[in-house]
Amino acid sequence: MGDFHRRIEICLPDLWRYAYALTRDPDAADDLLQDGVERAWRKRDLWRPTGTFKSWAMKVVLNTYRTQLRSPAHQNITAPINDITLNIAATDTLADQLTLIETARAIESLSPEQREALLTVVVSGLSYKEAAETLNIPIGTLMSRLARARSALKATMTMEKNSTP
């Protein structure tokens, strides 16, 4: 039990960032993280050291998020996209904040599968293999989704940049 507690504790910052990337709301990320950690604790006997503990814990958080999305209580709930700039301390100028808003909107426009693949690799920092295990898809499918997501982001960001006066 102590080993499991230590492993979860080490992963908490990464799990919260991942939960925040999925929900785009700090309060919802807190709730998702709590629900995910509770579920991981209940299912701790299912973890096998075939992969990394972090990827297993992220899979639990992702599955918790998906379950919450299917819940009638979470239908039609959206977070304001502009709230993302309130929590980012690294933005020095208005131009930086606008770029972050445009990027968040572009990510939001991706299909759920592409968005999950991108966030699992970029935000969580998992390897392709770990991300594929987390999402329960073949690594080739993950790479394909990432390529399409990156291509769509590039096209959207280029289009927005060209349409700005």
Side-chain angles (χ1 to χ4, degrees):
M1 187 160 85
D3 185 50
F4 186 87
H5 182 267
R6 183 183 56 77
R7 288 175 186 258
I8 273 286
E9 192 173 1
I10 290 170
C11 292
L12 282 177
D14 292 329
L15 293 174
W16 188 88
R17 278 192 300 276
Y18 187 53
Y20 180 74
L22 291 170
T23 62
R24 298 168 310 280
D25 176 32
D27 294 329
D30 290 342
D31 293 342
L32 175 59
L33 180 61
Q34 180 176 344
D35 293 345
V37 168
E38 285 177 12
R39 180 182 271 184
W41 185 259
R42 286 191 315 270
K43 309 257 184 196
R44 66 186 176 271
D45 293 336
L46 298 176
W47 181 72
R48 301 289 178 254
T50 56
T52 66
F53 183 83
K54 180 179 167 183
S55 66
W56 178 82
M58 287 191 167
K59 181 184 248 182
V60 173
V61 169
L62 177 61
N63 288 339
T64 302
Y65 173 71
R66 288 175 175 167
T67 300
Q68 290 176 352
L69 285 180
R70 287 189 296 268
S71 164
H74 286 81
Q75 298 295 324
N76 300 323
I77 295 176
T78 58
I81 198 75
N82 294 336
D83 285 353
I84 196 168
T85 59
L86 299 177
N87 298 306
I88 300 174
T91 56
D92 294 331
T93 67
L94 180 59
D96 291 339
Q97 289 181 351
L98 292 174
T99 300
L100 286 172
I101 290 170
E102 291 168 0
T103 303
R105 284 188 181 136
I107 291 172
E108 183 65 27
S109 71
L110 296 172
S111 72
E113 294 83 11
Q114 290 175 356
R115 188 171 44 250
E116 286 176 0
L118 185 71
L119 294 176
T120 302
V121 171
V122 174
V123 174
S124 67
L126 295 178
S127 69
Y128 286 180
K129 180 181 178 194
E130 292 169 332
E133 290 171 2
T134 298
L135 296 171
N136 202 26
I137 58 175
I139 196 166
T141 302
L142 173 75
M143 294 173 72
S144 175
R145 288 180 185 174
L146 285 172
R148 288 193 315 267
R150 289 175 176 148
S151 177
L153 284 177
K154 183 178 180 181
T156 301
M157 298 300 290
T158 301
M159 187 171 60
E160 287 182 10
K161 184 179 178 182
N162 291 338
S163 67
T164 305

